[in-house]
Amino acid sequence: MASSASENRLLLSRIATNEKHGENSPYFDGWKAYDQNPFHLTENPEGVIQMGLAENQLSFDLVEEWIRKNPKASICTAEGIEKFRSVANFQDYHGLPEFRQAIASFMWKARGGRVTFGPHRVVMSGGATGANELVMFCLANRGDAFLIPSPYYPAFYRDLGWRTGVQIVPVDCDSSNNFKITKEALEAAYGKAQNNNINVKGLIITNPSNPLGTTLDKDTLESLVTFINQKNIHLVCDEIYAATVFSSPKFTCITEVIQNMNCNPNLIHIVYSLSKDMGFPGLRVGIVYSYNDDVVNIGRKMSSFGLVSSQTQHMLASMLSDEDFVEKFLTTSAKRLAKRHGVFTDGLEEVGINCLKSNAGLFCWMDLRRLLRDQTFDGEMVLWRVIVNEVKLNVSPGSSFKCVEPGWFRVCFANMDDDTVEVALKRIRAFVGQAKKAQEQAQVKSPKKRWQSNLRLSFSSSSRRFEQEGVSVMSPRMMSPHSPMPHSPLLRATT
Amino acid sequence: MCMLSRNATFNSHGQDSSYFLGWQEYEKTPYHEVHNTNGIIQMGLAENQLCFDLLESWLAKNPEAAAFKKNGESIFAELALFQDYHGLPAFKKAMVDFMAEIRGNKVTFDPNHLVLTAGATSANETFIFCLADPGEVLLIPTPYYPGFDRDSKWRTGVAIVPIHCTSSNGFQITETALEEAYQEAEKRNLRVKGVLVTNPSNPLGTTMTRNELYLLLSFVEDKGIHLISDEIYSGTAFSTPSFRSVMEVLKDRNCDENSEVWQRVHVVYSLSKDLGLPGFRVGAIYSNDDMVVAAATKMSSFGLVSSQTQHLLSAMLSDRKLTKNYIAENHKRLKQRQKNLVSGLQKAGISCLNGNAGLFCWVDMRHLLRSNTFEAEMELWKKIVYEVHLNISPGSSCHCTEPGWFRVCFANLPERTLDLAMQRLKAFVGEYYNVPEVNGRSQSSHLSHSRGQSLRKWVSRLSFDDRCPIHGR
């Protein structure tokens, strides 16, 4: 007789059977809705538009052109095949020297040439996902904690804690000061951890921020460095959106800040990747850049678990060391992101929807608080289900980013063409217009009623229907592991 | 306060072992047939460099696969964006077909049960993360691949208890050895979660016998634990007896999804050894257990295979003409190369375990040891590295319980370099036994005594086949 499922469960590890991968959450209903009914301009114009995926699809033409002109970069073309065997055989965890050099050079260029990076500190990893986990394995023991300002990328829960056993302690930020990280918030989070006997090993920030789309200013960065130095804890800066900065203020890299401060460099580590800046998530290029020699040394050994394919290293070494190409790419990409951002935010403003003022990233942080039935996370969920099922846009609710205020949504704009953006804006206009009409009608009947409650009346039937369908099973094809995985507000990291 | 984690500060990455130190010495003065003729010849690296020409000629004939093109259209954007941890369907199909082909199509694999990982290194670690908690135990037969210490223990916190195998029966796994290892773990109050075997074996260069596989299956069934079969050398079984996968034996025993043991047998695969593509980081986990597949799939996020590489290899491995020819030619060349090594060693009075697979031989240098100790083994190893300038791997780095065995690789260097290595070894052995007597004192008498002993052993080695006769396996 076959083992029962529960017997089998006992035979597996706790890691394999717990929920800390964060993927089993009702929030995947949004993904399911998209997957079952994906939008296509001509073939399925009524489908769900994917706006929950932070991908950069705006500048592939430049890369394709470069690839066409540089056949030698591939080890499989007639021009490049002489390198095939040496590259295919190359598994040294130091990485191809020319690759590390090219990465260091690209990081320098992506930061406006304001700071330089040494190839000897470049450590490879399996995408930013692998890089973040690797850094945790190096810096923290099971049960230790890292502070993270909220709102933050939902998959940090998995990347930082699933296999490492590291806990997340959120540092609450809110709209009162545009979600800036304050010293008070840091101290409060740190103090709370201490009171619960949790050993805080460091602070991890994302700069530019996901989901806010903003860059941290110099003052804030300096105060963070001061804070971690005082506490003698690590600072991990996830800078994977560094080259998506499309307007001022310019990006300030952590390296710039520590150069002018009295700071213990052994506490400073950068996580980088080509997934967002170049739009290459499939190539799995993650980088750990640490100013701590021991972390570089050990990290390099650990990178054995997630090296970058040498075929990919070889191609990117060639591409990223082409200074003309890199210059052209970075400038053009920023321009296109700026334009797209402008079109989208202008379109939203036209219907009275504001976003947090942002200058980077592949998304906007949209303020829909006034559309909430109740200023609660339940209210946010109700609105979100309407947006997914009625408006047919998959956006990400703020609660999945652990935002402390309900009503904020992250909406991505760089993973689609111009026509699709137009359709999305049309739908939003229609949705808001409908809500206003309902409000006007309600006011005619009963002037005292607030228009939000009419929104509730209009949409409550659809949300009820949705809830009756129950929690859905994840479709096997739809999951992209590095997209924001919404996290149920009911599952709070224990602190 | 220690600023880094325990993972970062202890040396359970295992990279201080002699296995890696030998590499480091090689890096300092690598042999080059023109620029550094006295340099160290690398024979500690299990790479397969014998069949690149076959892949290169395929590439020359199939430019589209490499140029991010499909049916003449550019698919760069599609590939660059593809990060789905389920992997490119075409690639997974090609992988399982290739795996089946290597096994003579005696077993088939379901692509939905295959999980892609960044190399076998990642596959093994991921498996351990899925199957065991920190402090639990994995049993591994010795001698084993030194990297297992890192892959299985380092970040997972899992412990290894060795299953001791000896030369008395050609290092085959016995029931006694299995039981003893299990009892050892129990004595230490540690919970055994599974057995990890490598088949074909690294470092032995042999395929497992049917008896051994049956034994393992009975053992894991009886104890209610997992069996992970690392089959990354499955395509390197170049002579009889042919490679027999654990999946085949499950089938032989009529074990299917209704049997208890079905879900507890798992396979690790990779293209690093069979195809000689370690740089591409292509590993795979195969399990009949849906929960393991589900957990491993999520975990593979930490080390996915580059979509660029998946695309290229999907085209390559889907070409049956290529795979058929490659498998056959690979066997032929490996067999010839192994024969050259064995014959070269024999000329130096050195024998090895009768191997039929892998990229290395398990060489018996016990007769060259000053004493039957690991200190003597280290002494000999250092001489071979620093004086003979050959990097080979001492058995102690593979946790062998008997001193005097060394793993010597033969597929990662040109034939003429292999010949040179054998000449150096022969000269060394000749010199070792012909050291001029030094003023007639005990040193020289010790040497002539040991020379006599060694000669006797050497003679007996030639006539005694350590490994069980082929027909019994």
Side-chain angles (χ1 to χ4, degrees):
Chain A
M1 202 165 66
S3 307
S4 67
S6 57
E7 277 168 15
N8 259 344
R9 253 182 178 253
L10 289 175
L11 259 188
L12 303 188
S13 66
R14 280 189 285 270
I15 288 175
T17 49
N18 69 22
E19 303 287 291
K20 291 189 179 164
H21 47 73
E23 292 183 26
N24 284 348
S25 151
Y27 285 78
F28 287 120
D29 295 341
W31 287 88
K32 191 190 178 194
Y34 167 73
D35 201 50
Q36 286 178 339
N37 186 19
F39 172 82
H40 188 280
L41 198 66
T42 47
E43 285 163 33
N44 189 21
E46 300 306 314
V48 176
I49 298 178
Q50 175 62 283
M51 303 192 87
L53 196 45
E55 280 175 351
N56 184 355
Q57 296 191 23
L58 302 189
S59 301
F60 282 127
D61 56 317
L62 302 177
V63 178
E64 280 162 348
E65 191 195 347
W66 186 92
I67 288 173
R68 262 194 309 274
K69 291 187 181 155
N70 292 273
K72 218 171 166 196
S74 166
I75 47 173
C76 308
T77 55
E79 294 86 343
I81 204 165
E82 57 173 10
K83 291 275 190 179
F84 177 79
R85 57 180 72 189
S86 64
V87 170
N89 207 39
F90 186 87
Q91 59 172 329
D92 183 342
Y93 58 34
H94 290 87
L96 285 170
E98 55 270 28
F99 172 71
R100 281 195 294 159
Q101 178 61 54
I103 290 288
S105 160
F106 185 76
M107 285 173 73
W108 162 69
K109 271 229 171 302
R111 287 152 182 74
R114 290 183 288 279
V115 285
T116 55
F117 295 89
H120 62 291
R121 289 195 181 282
V122 171
V123 174
M124 292 183 286
S125 56
T129 299
N132 278 312
E133 192 198 42
L134 190 149
V135 167
M136 288 301 115
F137 269 125
C138 287
L139 304 181
N141 294 315
R142 193 160 279 280
D144 288 342
F146 256 73
L147 306 177
I148 309 187
S150 69
Y152 59 82
Y153 168 56
F156 271 158
Y157 185 65
R158 172 198 62 193
D159 299 353
L160 305 178
W162 187 23
R163 304 192 306 181
T164 61
V166 169
Q167 304 184 63
I168 288 179
V169 174
V171 176
D172 294 336
C173 305
D174 60 57
S175 62
S176 63
N177 67 343
N178 293 321
F179 296 93
K180 281 193 175 173
I181 307 164
T182 64
K183 189 160 181 273
E184 293 70 35
L186 284 168
E187 292 287 357
Y190 188 85
K192 191 173 177 186
Q194 299 275 22
N195 291 339
N196 287 300
N197 281 321
I198 293 169
N199 185 28
V200 175
K201 269 329 253 304
L203 165 67
I204 179 165
I205 59 170
T206 308
N207 180 31
S209 163
N210 172 14
L212 302 177
T214 53
T215 48
L216 291 180
D217 59 80
K218 197 152 169 281
D219 288 341
T220 304
L221 285 165
E222 282 176 352
S223 76
L224 296 181
V225 172
T226 304
F227 175 79
I228 57 111
N229 261 293
Q230 271 170 4
K231 305 278 191 253
N232 198 28
I233 60 176
H234 293 279
L235 178 60
V236 178
C237 304
D238 184 332
E239 296 189 347
I240 67 172
Y241 291 97
T244 67
V245 176
F246 51 77
S247 68
S248 61
K250 63 169 174 56
F251 175 62
T252 305
C253 163
I254 194 66
T255 308
E256 276 179 77
V257 172
I258 61 172
Q259 272 172 2
N260 300 317
M261 285 183 77
N262 209 359
C263 169
N264 178 3
N266 286 325
L267 299 176
I268 309 293
H269 323 275
I270 297 174
V271 163
Y272 190 57
S273 157
L274 299 182
S275 301
K276 309 296 177 183
D277 288 352
M278 296 290 301
F280 294 164
L283 301 185
R284 312 315 304 144
V285 181
I287 301 291
V288 173
Y289 190 96
S290 174
Y291 290 98
N292 183 320
D293 292 342
D294 289 336
V295 171
V296 170
N297 186 22
I298 284 293
R300 192 154 275 140
K301 292 176 172 66
M302 252 189 223
S303 67
S304 297
F305 298 111
L307 296 173
V308 176
S309 165
S310 55
Q311 177 194 15
T312 301
Q313 288 186 50
H314 178 76
M315 178 187 73
L316 293 174
S318 184
M319 193 188 286
L320 301 183
S321 57
D322 182 339
E323 292 200 6
D324 291 337
F325 165 75
V326 169
E327 181 67 46
K328 184 177 173 190
F329 181 91
L330 291 175
T331 318
T332 311
S333 176
K335 264 198 198 124
R336 292 178 183 178
L337 284 170
K339 185 172 174 208
R340 179 57 69 81
H341 173 266
V343 162
F344 195 69
T345 49
D346 288 348
L348 290 176
E349 257 179 58
E350 273 172 29
V351 289
I353 292 178
N354 295 319
C355 296
L356 187 70
K357 188 165 188 302
S358 62
N359 64 323
L362 309 172
F363 32 71
C364 293
W365 190 235
M366 201 165 55
D367 183 359
L368 298 184
R369 286 176 294 173
R370 63 184 183 84
L371 296 184
L372 294 187
R373 168 188 65 183
D374 311 301
Q375 292 298 320
T376 61
F377 288 109
D378 284 340
E380 180 181 281
M381 276 296 99
V382 167
L383 177 59
W384 177 63
R385 288 189 172 115
V386 165
I387 296 174
V388 171
N389 292 288
E390 301 290 331
V391 192
K392 295 219 173 59
L393 301 177
N394 183 31
V395 298
S396 310
S399 47
S400 63
F401 296 87
K402 297 299 180 102
C403 186
V404 293
E405 291 174 17
W408 293 88
F409 291 78
R410 190 192 78 169
V411 57
C412 301
F413 56 69
N415 61 313
M416 59 190 70
D417 56 34
D418 292 331
D419 294 329
T420 310
V421 174
E422 214 18 72
V423 174
L425 285 173
K426 224 184 266 185
R427 289 183 188 180
I428 292 171
R429 279 185 218 115
F431 163 63
V432 175
Q434 208 179 355
K436 278 201 170 144
K437 220 183 237 178
Q439 176 192 10
E440 281 155 14
Q441 281 172 354
Q443 278 180 340
V444 163
K445 284 181 186 169
S446 169
K448 283 180 187 168
K449 263 195 181 150
R450 293 166 55 138
W451 75 278
Q452 285 97 333
S453 56
N454 290 304
L455 196 71
R456 173 169 60 108
L457 286 172
S458 311
F459 296 125
S460 63
S461 58
S462 54
S463 66
R464 247 201 323 273
R465 189 175 64 238
F466 188 87
E467 273 150 6
Q468 276 159 9
E469 282 168 26
V471 174
S472 52
V473 173
M474 208 162 70
S475 161
R477 277 181 304 107
M478 73 177 171
M479 293 317 303
S480 187
H482 309 282
S483 51
M485 294 211 249
H487 198 67
S488 167
L490 300 173
L491 288 169
R492 293 279 179 199
T494 52
T495 57
Chain B
M1 180 178 70
C2 179
M3 287 310 301
L4 303 187
S5 65
R6 279 187 285 273
N7 278 318
T9 45
F10 290 171
N11 65 353
S12 50
H13 50 73
Q15 291 186 42
D16 295 332
S17 92
S18 48
Y19 180 74
F20 295 100
L21 291 174
W23 284 24
Q24 283 168 24
E25 287 309 309
Y26 164 76
E27 296 291 336
K28 290 177 192 167
T29 173
Y31 169 80
H32 188 279
E33 65 178 342
V34 172
H35 303 305
N36 191 14
T37 52
N38 198 33
I40 297 181
I41 298 176
Q42 175 63 289
M43 302 190 85
L45 198 45
E47 280 175 355
N48 183 356
Q49 296 191 20
L50 302 190
C51 293
F52 282 128
D53 58 312
L54 301 179
L55 302 181
E56 284 160 348
S57 87
W58 184 90
L59 285 168
K61 294 185 200 136
N62 294 271
E64 202 171 83
F68 293 111
K69 279 206 182 117
K70 202 175 186 182
N71 303 324
E73 300 268 309
S74 169
I75 54 163
F76 176 77
E78 197 185 305
L79 279 178
L81 290 170
F82 186 86
Q83 55 173 332
D84 182 353
Y85 54 27
H86 293 98
L88 270 178
F91 178 51
K92 291 219 298 192
K93 178 78 178 58
M95 277 285 275
V96 299
D97 287 346
F98 185 61
M99 287 166 71
E101 199 175 349
I102 285 174
R103 289 153 182 73
N105 290 308
K106 291 186 202 132
V107 281
T108 55
F109 297 89
D110 176 357
N112 292 320
H113 283 257
L114 190 79
V115 179
L116 300 172
T117 61
T121 299
S122 176
N124 278 313
E125 194 200 39
T126 299
F127 248 139
I128 311 304
F129 267 124
C130 288
L131 304 180
D133 290 322
E136 292 183 336
V137 161
L138 208 57
L139 306 181
I140 308 187
T142 65
Y144 62 77
Y145 163 56
F148 277 157
D149 288 326
R150 171 197 60 194
D151 302 351
S152 308
K153 295 196 314 191
W154 189 15
R155 304 191 307 180
T156 61
V158 165
I160 292 175
V161 169
I163 299 164
H164 294 303
C165 301
T166 68
S167 60
S168 62
N169 70 341
F171 295 93
Q172 286 186 53
I173 300 169
T174 64
E175 196 171 347
T176 315
L178 282 167
E179 279 298 335
E180 274 176 7
Y182 192 88
Q183 298 309 324
E184 175 63 33
E186 289 217 307
K187 214 167 44 175
R188 297 197 237 161
N189 268 326
L190 300 173
R191 185 177 173 197
V192 176
K193 268 328 226 336
V195 181
L196 167 62
V197 299
T198 310
N199 177 29
S201 162
N202 173 14
L204 302 176
T206 54
T207 49
M208 265 190 186
T209 64
R210 184 191 265 120
N211 286 347
E212 282 174 289
L213 288 164
Y214 271 53
L215 186 56
L216 281 167
L217 280 176
S218 301
F219 180 75
V220 301
E221 205 168 11
D222 178 50
K223 303 292 187 213
I225 60 178
H226 294 278
L227 176 61
I228 303 174
S229 179
D230 182 334
E231 300 187 350
I232 67 172
Y233 291 97
S234 48
T236 68
F238 49 77
S239 68
T240 52
S242 57
F243 168 67
R244 196 175 283 112
S245 166
V246 71
M247 290 300 182
E248 207 183 308
V249 175
L250 266 183
K251 208 171 149 188
D252 286 348
R253 286 174 96 217
N254 295 318
C255 296
D256 60 12
E257 59 268 22
N258 295 316
S259 54
E260 289 231 9
V261 79
W262 174 258
Q263 287 178 312
R264 290 204 298 272
V265 174
H266 322 279
V267 167
V268 166
Y269 189 56
S270 158
L271 298 181
S272 301
K273 309 297 178 184
D274 290 351
L275 283 189
L277 306 173
F280 287 2
R281 314 314 301 143
V282 179
I285 278 173
Y286 189 88
S287 175
N288 292 318
D289 184 336
D290 290 335
M291 275 199 286
V292 171
V293 171
T297 302
K298 293 177 178 68
M299 267 190 215
S300 66
S301 298
F302 299 110
L304 297 172
V305 178
S306 166
S307 56
Q308 177 191 20
T309 301
Q310 290 191 53
H311 173 67
L312 168 67
L313 292 175
S314 140
M316 221 184 239
L317 295 183
S318 303
D319 185 336
R320 290 298 171 89
K321 205 164 149 226
L322 170 70
T323 55
K324 187 170 175 210
N325 182 39
Y326 186 95
I327 291 170
E329 195 58 31
N330 190 33
H331 287 173
K332 196 167 141 206
R333 296 181 190 185
L334 286 170
K335 185 174 184 177
Q336 182 59 47
R337 188 58 77 82
Q338 189 240 27
K339 201 168 150 209
N340 292 348
L341 174 64
V342 170
S343 125
L345 288 169
Q346 272 173 358
K347 288 184 184 129
I350 297 170
S351 70
C352 36
L353 193 66
N354 197 3
N356 67 320
L359 310 172
F360 32 72
C361 284
W362 189 234
V363 176
D364 184 358
M365 296 201 202
R366 289 177 292 176
H367 60 297
L368 298 179
L369 294 187
R370 178 178 48 81
S371 60
N372 185 26
T373 61
F374 286 110
E375 287 75 27
E377 180 183 280
M378 271 298 105
E379 216 177 273
L380 176 59
W381 175 69
K382 280 176 182 160
K383 276 201 174 68
I384 295 175
V385 171
Y386 293 110
E387 293 173 26
V388 190
H389 282 191
L390 301 181
N391 180 35
I392 62 177
S393 311
S396 49
S397 69
C398 302
H399 301 278
C400 187
T401 46
E402 296 172 22
W405 292 88
F406 291 78
R407 190 191 78 169
V408 179
C409 298
F410 56 71
N412 64 308
L413 67 183
E415 191 149 343
R416 55 190 179 277
T417 312
L418 179 66
D419 292 341
L420 173 63
M422 292 302 100
Q423 281 164 34
R424 286 187 188 175
L425 197 56
K426 184 169 177 229
F428 163 71
V429 172
E431 203 183 305
Y432 188 89
Y433 290 109
N434 288 314
V435 173
E437 293 190 358
V438 180
N439 57 36
R441 282 187 302 172
S442 57
Q443 183 181 0
S444 59
S445 66
H446 162 76
L447 281 170
S448 38
H449 169 73
S450 69
R451 181 177 30 178
Q453 239 187 3
S454 302
L455 276 172
R456 278 193 290 279
K457 278 187 186 168
W458 178 72
V459 166
S460 71
R461 188 97 315 122
L462 285 179
S463 56
F464 175 69
D465 187 5
D466 289 274
R467 189 73 179 163
C468 290
I470 287 169
H471 58 262
R473 295 168 61 206

